[in-house]
Amino acid sequence: MNAPVLDLPLTRAERLKQETHAQHERLDTGIAGRDPFATRERYAAFVEVQYRFYAAIEPLYRDERLQALVPGLASRSRLAAARLDLADLGRPVPEVEPLPISHREGLGWLYVSEGSTLGAAFLLKAVEAIGLGEDCGARHLAAAPEGRGRHWRDFKEALNSVPLTPAEDDLAVSGARAAFTYVHGLVAEVMGPGK
Ligand code: HEM
């Protein structure tokens, strides 16, 4: 006899993953299609995308209400590291207007930003091939001191524990979708046409 299939409800993090899976695929393919590791110039354009994203959402990392929900939130920001990476690469630091993101949608935007540290492990390996690394040009891709897995699990635990109404949960999903759309737009704008 087959074991019964348990129909457990998705956690908030699982739902966010499911609802944005296709967008992640498109983004990943869009970035890869622009050969970000072919030259330092191409990679610098990718870092500018990352910098613009982090700068646009930095107010979330400084928001006291969100800090109360996610322990150590301020220290998770990778904006300063991305700024140093741009300097390492000799690329000017752009002026970025922070986005007006609501508190509830902010959780979805943070999910996208924090989740991007997982893919960063692969990107870091690729960037080493062009002579860069976590001490120069790829500081923002470095793992957290406690390890990428632990860092991500801690975030997911905090995210899953926030008490939200179903309507607020939907807002988190729209925030995550908007974040992927935003980064996709940055890729097209800063990295140029893809293949
Ligand atoms: C070429 C670029 C990228 C590659 C190759 C890539 C690859 C990956 C991989 C392999 C994972 C899963 C890792 C694991 O489960 O252990 C992942 C997760 C994730 N990535 Fe990316 N990624 C890229 C760019 C991005 C960008 C630019 C963002 C957002 C700004 C992003 C957001 C996320 C999110 C939110 C997750 C977590 C999904 C979840 O488990 O809930 N990724 N990425």
Side-chain angles (χ1 to χ4, degrees):
M1 209 179 87
N2 288 335
V5 177
L6 291 178
D7 200 9
L8 292 176
L10 295 180
T11 64
R12 180 168 301 129
E14 284 165 350
R15 181 176 171 212
L16 286 164
K17 179 176 184 165
Q18 191 178 73
E19 302 255 13
T20 58
H21 176 74
Q23 282 184 295
H24 183 276
E25 287 288 295
R26 227 176 317 129
L27 181 60
D28 176 353
T29 314
I31 294 172
R34 287 170 171 87
D35 278 343
F37 306 109
T39 62
R40 282 191 178 215
E41 287 67 33
R42 280 185 181 277
Y43 171 68
F46 169 71
V47 176
E48 184 178 327
V49 168
Q50 300 274 73
Y51 177 82
R52 284 180 185 270
F53 176 48
Y54 297 148
I57 64 168
E58 181 62 13
L60 299 176
Y61 286 87
R62 298 178 185 219
D63 183 307
E64 284 181 11
R65 285 169 307 170
L66 290 170
Q67 284 174 352
L69 301 175
V70 182
L73 182 61
S75 69
R76 287 177 169 266
S77 166
R78 290 176 303 286
L79 180 63
R83 190 184 290 120
L84 289 173
D85 288 336
L86 287 175
D88 291 339
L89 296 161
R91 184 142 178 134
V93 177
E95 280 284 323
V96 179
E97 230 5 82
L99 291 168
I101 301 169
S102 76
H103 183 222
R104 288 306 180 209
E105 286 203 323
L107 282 174
W109 283 79
L110 284 176
Y111 159 79
V112 175
S113 173
E114 290 304 307
S116 72
T117 59
L118 293 174
F122 298 84
L123 305 181
L124 192 56
K125 282 223 167 64
V127 93
E128 281 161 6
I130 49 172
L132 300 166
E134 43 183 65
D135 296 328
C136 179
R139 301 166 199 264
H140 79 284
L141 299 175
E146 70 274 28
R148 268 181 227 282
R150 176 81 260 162
H151 195 66
W152 174 235
R153 280 196 301 279
D154 288 348
F155 174 76
K156 282 199 297 187
E157 248 171 65
L159 177 69
N160 288 337
S161 322
V162 181
L164 294 181
T165 64
E168 288 170 334
D169 251 322
D170 290 347
L171 283 175
V173 172
S174 22
R177 290 210 180 109
F180 271 112
T181 303
Y182 184 75
V183 178
H184 208 275
L186 288 176
V187 167
E189 185 189 328
V190 180
M191 299 178 77
K195 282 180 198 158

